[in-house]
């Protein structure tokens, strides 16, 4: 999510740190900051805004003479983008500075403990507990390096969650870095070394890179790199990176979109991480529900891909929580004479950017009706979160490709969590709740299986699909919105005319268009009711009878389907309500490879489209 960098050497640290930060700007961020170790101690410069603004502030104030320092680009997760929430964070005494990428799940209890010991906190971040914990472990011994390393280890042993951190300390001419579930690399130079969350950050300086392993802790000085894991010294190979900076930004993928589809399992994990602890789901919002009362109904408002996610969310919440959900396109809701008794309705705006003008207007209108309002968004501090009473954040991280992919999957995860959220589902028996939760926890692995095992077949079928100018995507129930999302993605990036349609509705019009030149992608994974699968098979037979080729999305082991279709994309079998996750990953890949096969498509920036539409 965020980007972190560090430098230790003989050159001026500040320009190198700032240049490294500029190299990871492409990931998207809201604030930036640096900490340099100078003769006067740790000097910190940070603010909301762009690296360039931070640079300006620093160069306008004074020159800083330092040979080591750390830097950070923040993508807010705990606390809105602001100067105080920006990294680096310090302990109360200015001894330790930390930059962090990841999420500390138990920071609230640690913060309470540290407060009771007299520590003072200035930010709302989870990160700030780390420098305080490290400071607690310092014992003023003569061996500063050993002491700092041990204090960092002790602090890390208290954390649950994910982190890549770089620690700078007053009086120490090196840096300490560590990682758990977040990437971290060391760039090896000549009498200087670099640390970063991403390879592009160091590529201008060196192509010699050490990838730290899970659980590694490194002490990096200008002429040495010491790494240990589980208390024992380890050796990690140095590799030569053959990438250009542009290649590296995309992590070796040709497009951001493909990289982001490959990040879908992580987006699921990171979204769950914030809200699931043991067998408890805590979304941390106050829906105004007391005692045994329940939300009477939910109104969802959204545009574009988020609208299809919400449509899927309607099925999920109605199935799991048995709460009625009404869904409106924000642009339509704004101009309708809607009849609404706001007192009994929770209005939810679903918007990955939190800035879509139509959705913001709809949110304001729902507020005027007296609804309790919730923003479901990927961007902390975005306009939607400032308008709504409550916010729920998806953990997709910055998304660069204009066509939403991992943010869509993360939105689905929030709907599963909402459907299982205890106050909403007073009626779901504990055993069923636990079964659903277990299945939800399997979703990162299921998504990864699609990426690993279906990708080859999908590329093959994409070659076939790319030859046509029109396509239909059909599904039923919880997978109808996924068919619509599949069609939207295909049209956005490949410019093939595609329509997502309810399978049972084709016969009421679109049949007139079916020929051997209109392939149909049909979602045939099972759902709670066997009936839906049978009905889908029936629809497929009708489509075939009209001469249209059919590509099915079906589960591993479903041999029946082979008899009726021209090609099959296999996805792992899931508990019925969860099939939208693997199906989405498969359809995102299908759209991507089809566009790639067509050639001439600007996949990351499709013509006429914008990532965030801030006009009505
Ligand atoms: C734009 C984007 C779409 C997105 C829609 C809604 O049109 O190109 O990918 O689905 O806006 O965006 P939101 O940020 O509100 O989810």
């Amino acid at each position: 999510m965020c980007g972190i960098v560090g430098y230790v050497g003989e050159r001026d640290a500040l320009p190198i740190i700032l240049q490294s930060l500029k190299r990871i700007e492409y990931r998207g961020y809201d604030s930036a900051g640096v900490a340099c170790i100078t003769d006067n101690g740790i000097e910190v410069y940070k603010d909301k805004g762009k690296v360039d603004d931070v640079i300006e502030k620093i160069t306008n104030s004074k020159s800083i003479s330092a040979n080591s320092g750390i830097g950070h680009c923040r993508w807010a997760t705990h606390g809105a983008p602001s100067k105080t929430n920006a990294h680096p964070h310090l302990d109360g005494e200015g001894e330790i500075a930390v930059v962090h990428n990841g999420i500390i799940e138990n920071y609230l209890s640690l913060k309470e403990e540290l407060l009771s010991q007299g520590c003072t906190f200035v930010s709302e971040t989870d990160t700030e507990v780390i420098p305080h914990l490290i400071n607690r472990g310092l014992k003023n011994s003569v061996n500063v390096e050993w002491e700092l390393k041990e204090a960092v280890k002790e602090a890390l042993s208290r954390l649950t969650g994910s982190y890549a951190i770089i620690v700078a300390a007053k009086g120490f001419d090196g840096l300490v870095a560590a990682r758990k579930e977040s990437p971290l690399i060391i760039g090896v130079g000549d009498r200087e070394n670099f640390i970063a969350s991403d390879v592009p950050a160091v590529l201008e300086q060196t192509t010699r890179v050490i990838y730290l392993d899970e659980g590694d802790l490194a002490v990096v000085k200008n002429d040495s790199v010491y790494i240990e894991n589980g208390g024992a010294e380890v050796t990690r190979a140095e590799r030569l990176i053959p990438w250009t900076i542009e290649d590296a930004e995309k992590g070796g993928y040709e497009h951001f979109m493909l990289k982001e589809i490959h990040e879908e399992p992580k987006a699921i994990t990171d979204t769950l991480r914030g809200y699931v602890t043991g067998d408890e789901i805590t979304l941390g919002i106050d829906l105004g529900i007391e005692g045994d009362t329940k939300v009477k109904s939910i109104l969802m408002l959204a545009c574009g891909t988020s609208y299809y996610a919400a449509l899927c969310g309607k099925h999920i919440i109605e199935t799991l929580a048995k709460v009625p959900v009404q869904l409106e396109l924000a642009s339509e809701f704004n101009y309708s004479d809607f009849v609404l008794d706001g007192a009994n309705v929770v209005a939810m705006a679903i918007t990955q950017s939190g800035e879509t003008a139509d959705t913001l207007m709809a949110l304001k209108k729902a507020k005027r009706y007296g609804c309790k309002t919730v923003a479901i968004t990927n961007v902390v501090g975005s306009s939607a979160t400032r308008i709504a009473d409550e916010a729920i954040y998806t953990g997709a991280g910055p998304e660069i490709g204009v066509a939403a992919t991992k943010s869509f999957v993360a939105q689905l995860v929030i709907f599963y969590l909402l459907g299982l959220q205890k106050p909403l589902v007073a009626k779901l028996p504990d055993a069923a709740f636990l079964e659903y939760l277990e299945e939800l926890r399997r979703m990162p692995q299921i998504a990864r299986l699609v990426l690993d095992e279906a990708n080859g077949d999908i590329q093959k079928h994409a070659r076939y699909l790319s030859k046509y100018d029109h396509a239909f995507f059909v599904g039923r129930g919880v997978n109808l919105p996924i068919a619509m999302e599949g069609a939207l993605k295909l049209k956005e990036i490949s410019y093939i005319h595609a329509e997502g349609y309810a399978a049972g509705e084709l016969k009421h019009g679109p049949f007139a268009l079916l020929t051997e030149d209109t392939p149909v992608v049909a979602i045939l994974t099972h759902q709670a009711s066997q009936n839906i699968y049978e009905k889908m098979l029936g629809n497929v037979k009708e489509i075939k009878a009209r001469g249209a080729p059919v590509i099915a999305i079906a589960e591993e082991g479903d041999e029946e389907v082979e008899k009726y279709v021209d090609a099959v994309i296999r996805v792992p079998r899931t508990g019925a309500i969860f099939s939208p996750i693997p199906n989405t990953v498969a359809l995102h890949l299908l759209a991507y490879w089809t566009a790639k096969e067509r050639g001439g498509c600007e996949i990351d920036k499709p013509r006429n489209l914008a990532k965030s539409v801030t006009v009505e």
Side-chain angles (χ1 to χ4, degrees):
M1 292 207 192
C2 309
I4 63 177
V5 302
Y7 173 78
V8 48
E10 292 175 351
R11 290 192 281 159
D12 250 356
L14 186 61
I16 297 171
I17 294 168
L18 292 174
Q19 189 188 42
S20 297
L21 288 177
K22 294 280 298 167
R23 281 292 160 209
I24 48 176
E25 274 189 310
Y26 71 93
R27 294 162 51 105
Y29 66 102
D30 48 58
S31 344
V34 294
C36 293
I37 308 298
T38 70
D39 292 342
N40 304 327
I42 301 177
E43 292 192 28
V44 176
Y45 295 84
K46 59 183 189 175
D47 214 336
K48 183 177 163 182
K50 296 288 163 199
V51 173
D52 273 339
D53 301 335
V54 176
I55 294 173
E56 228 175 299
K57 277 191 190 142
I58 296 170
T59 45
N60 280 347
S61 50
K62 54 178 172 171
S63 71
I64 296 168
S65 161
N67 298 126
S68 70
I70 55 181
H72 189 266
C73 282
R74 176 169 188 249
W75 171 265
T77 58
H78 294 72
S82 69
K83 184 169 179 167
T84 34
N85 287 334
H87 298 218
H89 287 288
L90 300 176
D91 62 317
E93 293 159 29
E95 297 282 328
I96 303 286
V98 171
V99 285
H100 166 225
N101 180 11
I103 294 171
I104 306 304
E105 288 164 11
N106 60 337
Y107 82 102
L108 279 176
S109 60
L110 291 171
K111 193 166 173 175
E112 264 170 43
E113 177 188 317
L114 289 160
L115 281 168
S116 74
Q117 293 170 6
C119 294
T120 47
F121 284 80
V122 291
S123 79
E124 299 158 272
T125 65
D126 51 341
T127 303
E128 202 182 350
V129 297
I130 306 176
H132 281 287
L133 283 172
I134 296 173
N135 181 302
R136 299 264 117 178
L138 296 177
K139 295 178 181 71
N140 296 322
S141 73
V142 278
N143 189 343
V144 182
E145 178 179 335
W146 178 85
E147 184 178 312
L148 179 65
K149 172 171 76 84
E150 293 306 307
V152 171
K153 267 186 352 201
E154 205 176 307
L156 296 182
S157 71
R158 303 286 318 277
L159 308 181
T160 54
S162 66
Y163 53 78
I165 57 162
I166 312 178
V167 182
K170 194 168 145 188
F172 177 51
D173 58 352
L175 299 170
V176 179
R179 63 155 287 189
K180 179 180 169 240
E181 294 174 36
S182 276
L184 198 58
I185 58 120
I186 295 171
V188 182
D190 189 14
R191 299 182 68 75
E192 60 184 358
N193 288 305
F194 311 83
I195 309 173
S197 48
D198 297 74
V199 172
V202 304
L203 267 189
E204 252 161 328
Q205 310 292 346
T206 181
T207 51
R208 293 162 59 198
V209 164
I210 297 170
Y211 285 84
L212 291 181
D213 270 5
E214 186 63 7
D216 279 356
L217 178 138
V219 180
V220 181
K221 300 206 280 188
N222 61 353
D223 53 0
S224 67
V225 175
Y226 165 87
I227 306 172
E228 66 174 53
N229 194 312
E233 184 172 0
V234 289
T235 316
R236 304 280 175 234
E238 189 183 301
R239 300 190 212 173
L240 224 46
I241 302 293
W243 293 341
T244 63
I245 286 170
E246 209 198 14
D247 288 338
E249 285 178 352
K250 294 178 185 147
Y253 293 99
E254 192 177 339
H255 294 98
F256 282 113
M257 183 180 176
L258 186 59
K259 176 172 178 262
E260 285 158 4
I261 295 172
H262 280 265
E263 286 169 351
E264 288 183 353
K266 183 170 174 344
I268 302 171
T269 306
D270 286 348
T271 304
L272 289 176
R273 189 194 299 287
Y275 304 116
V276 183
T277 318
D279 292 336
E280 291 286 319
I281 294 175
T282 320
L283 284 167
I285 50 165
D286 175 10
L287 293 179
I289 306 165
E290 277 165 26
D292 285 340
T293 51
K294 290 193 0 166
V295 169
K296 292 225 170 58
S297 75
I298 293 173
L299 167 68
M300 290 191 186
L301 304 160
C303 299
T305 296
S306 293
Y307 177 81
Y308 294 136
L311 191 54
C312 193
K314 170 181 160 67
H315 282 271
I316 294 168
I317 293 172
E318 289 184 343
T319 305
L320 295 176
K322 312 279 182 242
V323 173
V325 179
Q326 181 167 357
L327 172 61
E328 297 292 324
L329 281 167
S331 54
E332 286 297 308
F333 176 76
N334 291 333
Y335 301 97
S336 65
D337 292 322
F338 212 72
V339 182
L340 188 64
D341 171 11
N344 287 318
V345 178
V346 175
M348 299 187 172
I350 296 88
T351 164
Q352 58 84 20
S353 64
E355 301 297 345
T356 301
D358 281 319
T359 310
L360 297 184
M361 252 184 95
L363 193 56
K364 287 180 192 157
K365 184 168 176 179
K367 267 194 121 167
R368 286 200 299 276
Y369 276 116
C371 299
K372 179 101 188 167
T373 51
V374 180
I376 298 178
T377 180
N378 199 35
V379 183
V380 176
S382 55
S383 303
T385 67
R386 294 197 299 272
I387 297 167
D389 302 316
E390 303 283 343
I392 304 176
Y393 295 104
T394 47
E399 193 173 61
I400 313 292
V402 165
T405 51
K406 59 176 180 169
S407 63
F408 177 88
V409 173
Q411 286 169 343
L412 295 187
V413 172
I414 295 294
F415 296 130
Y416 288 112
L417 292 171
L418 271 169
L420 292 171
Q421 164 93 347
K422 274 282 157 60
L424 276 182
V425 288
K427 284 190 187 133
L428 194 66
D430 278 356
F433 169 82
L434 290 175
E435 220 171 280
Y436 282 124
L437 187 58
E438 204 42 51
E439 191 62 2
L440 183 54
R441 284 206 180 98
R442 237 164 48 88
M443 286 305 117
Q445 182 201 343
I446 293 281
R448 201 164 296 116
L449 276 173
V450 179
L451 294 168
D452 292 346
E453 290 175 14
N455 195 27
D457 273 350
I458 293 174
Q459 284 188 53
K460 191 171 81 193
H461 302 319
R463 274 196 287 281
Y464 168 80
L465 192 58
S466 69
K467 299 192 174 60
Y468 296 91
D469 293 323
H470 306 274
F472 280 94
F473 285 66
V474 297
R476 280 173 176 261
V478 74
N479 279 310
L480 169 57
I482 305 304
M484 295 165 125
E485 162 67 4
L488 178 69
K489 220 86 307 176
L490 187 74
K491 78 181 101 175
E492 279 183 303
I493 62 162
S494 75
Y495 312 141
I496 293 174
H497 165 228
E499 288 192 48
Y501 230 86
E505 280 292 299
L506 282 187
K507 59 173 98 56
H508 300 297
F511 265 13
L513 295 172
L514 292 187
T515 69
E516 64 274 13
D517 288 327
T518 49
V520 179
V521 178
I523 304 183
L524 278 142
T525 47
H526 286 78
Q527 300 192 22
S529 122
Q530 173 67 9
N531 209 5
I532 287 193
Y533 174 77
E534 317 263 293
K535 287 277 172 217
M536 275 302 300
L537 269 187
N539 295 138
V540 163
K541 287 180 207 164
E542 294 163 1
I543 294 164
K544 285 298 298 171
R546 272 118 197 123
V550 175
I551 301 174
I553 311 251
E555 284 145 2
E556 297 290 353
D558 176 358
E559 280 160 25
E560 181 69 8
V561 78
E562 305 261 2
K563 298 180 199 155
Y564 311 104
V565 303
D566 301 270
V568 186
I569 293 170
R570 295 283 176 190
V571 293
R573 184 159 193 158
T574 61
I577 193 84
F578 292 95
S579 60
I581 299 269
N583 294 341
T584 299
V585 181
L587 289 176
H588 284 168
L589 282 173
L590 185 66
Y592 174 81
W593 289 117
T594 307
K596 174 97 170 55
E597 198 61 40
R598 292 276 276 200
C601 304
E602 270 205 81
I603 292 181
D604 284 333
K605 287 189 184 136
R607 70 181 174 219
N608 306 334
L609 299 182
K611 183 85 191 150
S612 164
V613 180
T614 51
V615 289
E616 279 177 59

